[in-house]
């Protein structure tokens, strides 16, 4: 069992021991925020998923076309998926035709079953299948059934895709829907093994998923921050007028607003890399680091230590890989 899995299991046990009486399964009405002529998004609360926010701590959105609605992500509970559908109907009578999943993390896809029940077609990166079949997926679901009861319960199903997207030989899948042009962009291996983004070309809006966290500390965990930093460069090269992050505020100045995510990842790599190079233990290194540049941001208290530990392990692996590269033969 790795560090992230054991941490989730411990959290699950702790919450079970302190479980409160059953709560009513009420869900707040969601308010779509208009981004452009065709694009809207739902802005989740800051912080981690808990009973107070009912799991609504990530963003999702939708695009209204003349042939139906395209949705990006489905939020973190089936009840929130239902709430999205109700909110979309207040904007347009068009049915939801397709849902694109940014990645298979619980806060972005547990609402899928509400859309699937209404006939929407689900698209996701083919690597998401590995997560759905993993022990981690089952462990996370068990934890959510406790932490987010009754909004996640025994009726909650981990919903796969109708179309698993393969990016062999290319990193972009272009398509049209309802007279609008879209591009699905492969960013896999950065924040998660199955990251994708969605560019709404006609409105110059980018759904960035969890490659970009607006105004809060990202969840890094076991992500590859080196690949992630490269993905941020690729994201900026798209030059969107607006970028919708997986968490946090909409950005109308992406080049400026990704700075927190970039600076945080760069800082983690530097300080954890130095600790590894100096053979300093993680606990000793963590206690000596000045975190003041980041500790004021939402989710720092919940995510930073886990992020730092995951980066420490990553830097150990990178150091080992560098030592294993054979030296070039003498001329």
């Amino acid at each position: 069992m790795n560090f992230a899995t054991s941490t989730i299991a411990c959290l699950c046990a702790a919450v079970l021991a302190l479980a409160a009486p059953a709560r009513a399964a009420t869900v707040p009405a969601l308010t779509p925020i208009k981004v452009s002529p065709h694009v809207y998004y739902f802005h989740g609360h800051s912080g981690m998923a808990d009973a107070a926010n009912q799991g609504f701590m990530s963003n999702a959105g939708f695009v209204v076309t003349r042939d139906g609605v395209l949705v990006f992500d489905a939020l973190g509970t089936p009840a929130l998926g239902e709430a999205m559908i109700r909110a979309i109907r207040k904007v347009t009578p068009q049915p939801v035709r397709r849902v694109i999943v940014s990645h298979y993390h619980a806060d972005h896809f547990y609402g899928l079953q509400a859309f699937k029940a209404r006939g929407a077609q689900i698209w996701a990166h083919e690597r998401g299948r590995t997560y759905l079949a993993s022990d981690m997926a089952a462990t996370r679901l068990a934890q959510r059934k406790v932490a987010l009861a009754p909004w996640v319960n025994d009726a909650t199903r981990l919903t796969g895709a109708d179309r698993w997207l393969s990016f062999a030989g290319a990193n972009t899948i272009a398509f049209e829907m309802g007279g609008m042009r879209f591009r699905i962009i492969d960013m896999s291996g950065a924040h998660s093994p199955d990251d994708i983004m969605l560019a709404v070309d006609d409105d110059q809006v980018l759904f960035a998923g969890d490659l970009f966290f607006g105004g809060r500390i990202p969840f890094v965990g076991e992500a590859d921050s080196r690949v992630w930093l490269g993905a941020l460069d690729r994201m900026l090269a798209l030059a969107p007028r607006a970028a919708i992050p997986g968490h946090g505020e909409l950005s109308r100045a992406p080049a400026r607003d990704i700075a927190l995510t970039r600076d945080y990842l760069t800082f983690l790599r530097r300080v954890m890399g130095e600790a590894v190079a100096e053979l300093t233990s993680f606990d000793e290194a963590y206690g000596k680091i000045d975190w003041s540049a980041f500790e004021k941001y939402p989710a720092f208290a919940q995510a930073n230590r886990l992020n730092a530990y995951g980066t420490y392990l990553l830097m150990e692996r990178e150091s080992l890989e560098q030592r294993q590269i054979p030296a070039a033969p003498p001329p």
Side-chain angles (χ1 to χ4, degrees):
M1 181 179 291
N2 62 30
F3 178 83
T5 304
S6 62
T7 299
I8 291 169
C10 289
L11 285 172
C12 182
V15 175
L16 275 168
L18 299 172
R23 299 177 287 266
T26 58
V27 177
L30 300 184
T31 303
I33 300 168
K34 191 167 187 177
V35 178
S36 65
H38 303 90
V39 177
Y40 298 77
Y41 89 110
F42 300 103
H43 179 211
H45 300 286
S46 296
M48 310 297 274
D50 58 25
N53 59 40
Q54 300 176 14
F56 182 35
M57 38 66 72
S58 59
N59 297 339
F62 61 99
V63 185
V64 180
T65 83
R66 65 174 182 240
D67 290 337
V69 177
L70 182 148
V71 168
F72 188 83
D73 278 346
L75 298 179
T77 71
L80 285 168
E82 295 282 356
M84 284 180 64
I85 293 169
R86 291 194 296 270
I88 292 169
R89 284 174 176 165
K90 292 180 180 179
V91 173
T92 176
Q94 291 272 20
V96 175
R97 301 288 190 194
R98 186 173 301 161
V99 183
I100 295 175
V101 183
S102 66
H103 62 300
Y104 270 87
H105 282 179
D107 51 325
H108 296 273
F109 84 93
Y110 275 27
L112 282 178
Q113 69 187 68
F115 292 96
K116 182 67 175 175
R118 289 165 176 79
Q121 188 181 58
I122 299 166
W123 290 13
H125 197 294
E126 63 181 352
R127 291 182 180 173
R129 286 183 290 196
T130 302
Y131 173 80
L132 288 178
S134 70
D135 291 340
M136 174 62 80
T139 300
R140 173 65 80 183
L141 178 59
Q143 182 265 335
R144 287 293 209 246
K145 286 180 180 179
V146 177
L148 293 179
W151 304 285
V152 177
N153 55 36
D154 288 341
T156 302
R157 299 289 178 263
L158 303 187
T159 305
D162 299 293
R163 178 179 174 185
W164 293 106
L165 303 172
S166 173
F167 293 87
N171 64 5
T172 301
I173 295 173
F175 67 95
E176 291 190 6
M177 177 175 167
M180 297 191 65
R181 296 169 299 161
F182 299 89
R183 282 177 294 155
I184 301 173
I185 303 162
D186 179 19
M187 292 288 191
S188 56
H191 172 75
S192 75
D194 54 323
D195 299 303
I196 57 178
M197 303 192 304
L198 176 69
V200 187
D201 288 333
D202 293 288
D203 284 20
Q204 293 184 274
V205 174
L206 179 71
F207 286 99
D210 277 4
L211 275 299
F212 164 36
F213 284 63
R216 57 153 281 182
I217 295 299
F219 175 72
V220 180
E222 298 177 310
D224 189 328
S225 52
R226 179 170 54 184
V227 176
W228 194 338
L229 287 166
L232 291 177
D233 291 335
R234 290 173 57 201
M235 187 181 87
L236 288 179
L238 297 171
R241 288 185 178 178
I244 300 167
H247 300 262
E249 297 283 350
L250 163 76
S251 172
R252 295 195 183 275
R256 177 196 69 200
D257 293 339
I258 70 165
L260 174 59
T261 300
R262 181 194 298 277
D263 291 350
Y264 180 70
L265 295 176
T266 301
F267 182 80
L268 283 178
R269 289 182 60 81
R270 179 174 65 79
V271 296
M272 292 295 105
E274 290 172 354
V276 168
E278 295 167 3
L279 302 180
T280 305
S281 72
F282 170 74
D283 287 335
E284 181 183 354
Y286 189 87
K288 291 180 178 179
I289 293 168
D290 179 4
W291 298 105
S292 59
F294 305 102
E295 62 188 5
K296 65 181 179 180
Y297 289 102
F300 176 87
Q302 300 95 329
N304 189 65
R305 188 178 183 90
L306 183 60
N307 290 345
Y309 186 72
T311 304
Y312 183 89
L313 297 179
L314 173 67
M315 302 312 293
E316 282 188 326
R317 291 195 298 272
E318 289 187 12
S319 176
L320 180 61
E321 289 168 1
Q322 290 174 357
R323 290 198 296 269
Q324 290 177 340
I325 296 175

